[in-house]
Each structure stands twice: as structure tokens, then as C-alpha cells.
Amino acid sequence: LRSALGERERGGQGSGLERCKMSGGSEQAQVVTDFKSWLEKYEQGAVAVAAIHALTTLIKKSNASTIMELEIHLKNAQEQLLNVKYIGERSKMIQLSAACELFARHVTRTALDIGDFDQCKRKLIERGEKFAMQADLSRTVISSNALPFFTDGMSILVHGYSNVVTHCLKHAANHGLRFKVVVSEGQPERDGYKTAKVLKEAGIPVEILLDTAVGF
């Protein structure tokens, strides 16, 4: 039996799982390229949104013919995304991991709710694109909702870096509010310096202080 199986594998037939991995290999490699291209195009974009965009694009281009095959392609693609290194940017790795996990659960749930493969695939693409669009809009909505909390002359303490937080601060400044931002260094990533740079470019007064000096 082992001999027969060995001959079969050497003949290039292999198992269904192996064939699935081989057929989706180029698609899974492309997902990292799509992920990085999106982040280059949208410098202020969130890593999580870039991951959802890349995985949704993979579904569009996938040659999978069953839910199981599509899930295997997505799982392998997610593993490749998680191999993208962000040295000194631990928060981005957390965002990326969370986005991949949530998307995997979303695919499983959609597959259970919708039995037909083609309909399920269309629904996944539709929801993926909607999520990316809503993520961009939500930043603007959050900034508008945060505006009443700003007052003239206030000092705001910020730790680390966040696209949403910097967007809120710039939005408030654009509405004529005057305030000062105190940013902690954010060791060991030192992402507080990135926050300071973005805010200074927007004309907002910024002061950087040591993480250990926050209490003073």
C-alpha cells in the first residue's frame, strides 16, 4: 500500500489538499504584494484594512471551486501575511493578526449561512469591500463625534501612534481649536516621535517627553 501511494504521489497526482495548495500558490503569494501595494498607496491607511482588502482581492481572483478549497487558499494567504515583518512596530503585528482571525471567522460563518458556493463568494467580496469602505468613513465619523470634547487651551496627552487619534487632533485643529499635545516616546518602538512629526506638520504644538515622566 505504501509503495502504491508513493508511486501515486511521484506521478504528480497527490492528495486533494496538496493539489489545492499547488493551485492556489500564486494567488497566496500575490496577497502579500496586494497588501503592501495598498499600504504604499494609502500611507495613512490601517494595516487591518489593508489585510481585508488583500484577502478580498484574493477571493475575487481565486480559482477555487468549493468552500473548503477557498478556505485553504485563505488560510495559507493569511499565514503569508502574518510573516510580514514590522520591526519595532508591535501594534501593527497585533492589528494584522486580529484582522486575519476575524476575516477567517467571517468566511466560516458566511459559508454556514449560505450553502451555494458562487453566492457565498459574491457575498464575501461584497462584505469585504463594504468593510474597507466603512473603515475609512468611520475615521471621519469618530473625528466628528470627538470634536465636542476639545476646548481652547487644553493640553492633551497621547501615548504611541494611532491614525485615528492623529486624524481627530488634526480635525479639531482645522476647526479653529487651539490646544497643545504632549506625546510620550512610546518605547521601545518610539512611535511617539511619529505622532509628533505628523502633528507638527499639521501646525499643532507638540512636546515629547520620556515615558517615565508622564506622571510628572
Side-chain angles (χ1 to χ4, degrees):
L1 179 59
R2 285 183 181 175
S3 176
L5 288 173
E7 289 297 328
R8 183 178 177 183
E9 290 179 358
R10 284 194 291 273
Q13 296 179 10
S15 66
L17 178 59
E18 289 170 344
R19 291 198 301 274
C20 182
K21 286 183 177 180
M22 290 172 63
S23 64
S26 59
E27 295 170 357
Q28 295 147 20
Q30 182 64 32
V31 76
V32 176
T33 301
D34 291 337
F35 172 75
K36 291 181 177 179
S37 297
W38 191 91
L39 286 175
E40 289 176 1
K41 184 177 180 181
Y42 302 98
E43 294 182 1
Q44 298 300 316
V47 169
V49 178
I52 299 299
H53 168 79
L55 292 171
T56 302
T57 302
L58 181 143
I59 294 175
K60 285 182 182 179
K61 299 178 179 178
S62 176
N63 59 4
S65 57
T66 65
I67 292 293
M68 181 177 290
E69 190 177 356
L70 181 62
E71 286 183 333
I72 292 172
H73 286 186
L74 286 169
K75 181 179 179 181
N76 293 332
Q78 288 164 5
E79 288 175 355
Q80 291 201 33
L81 283 176
L82 292 174
N83 286 329
V84 176
K85 302 299 181 184
Y86 283 101
I87 299 174
E89 295 183 278
R90 183 174 47 189
S91 61
K92 287 189 176 181
M93 291 302 302
I94 295 172
Q95 292 177 45
L96 184 56
S97 176
C100 288
E101 184 177 345
L102 286 173
F103 194 82
R105 291 182 181 181
H106 167 62
V107 171
T108 301
R109 181 175 179 179
T110 303
L112 291 173
D113 292 341
I114 304 173
D116 181 73
F117 174 72
D118 291 331
Q119 186 180 352
C120 177
K121 187 175 179 179
R122 287 194 297 271
K123 184 61 68 174
L124 286 171
I125 293 171
E126 177 187 328
R127 289 177 178 174
E129 291 176 339
K130 185 178 180 180
F131 173 85
M133 180 179 67
Q134 287 182 334
D136 287 334
L137 290 175
S138 63
R139 191 179 300 174
T140 302
V141 172
I142 291 171
S143 296
S144 297
N145 290 336
L147 194 59
F149 294 93
F150 290 88
T151 57
D152 274 329
M154 72 185 304
S155 293
I156 302 170
L157 175 64
V158 176
H159 178 70
Y161 178 82
S162 166
N163 286 325
V164 176
V165 171
T166 53
H167 192 279
C168 286
L169 294 170
K170 289 191 290 184
H171 182 74
N174 290 337
H175 278 73
L177 291 165
R178 297 168 296 175
F179 52 87
K180 174 184 177 182
V181 178
V182 180
V183 185
S184 61
E185 281 188 310
Q187 295 286 359
E189 288 87 0
R190 294 169 59 86
D191 45 8
Y193 288 94
K194 181 179 179 181
T195 300
K197 181 177 182 294
V198 171
L199 296 179
K200 283 179 180 178
E201 290 174 351
I204 299 173
V206 183
E207 180 181 343
I208 300 176
L209 76 163
L210 298 174
D211 292 339
T212 53
V214 168
F216 298 96

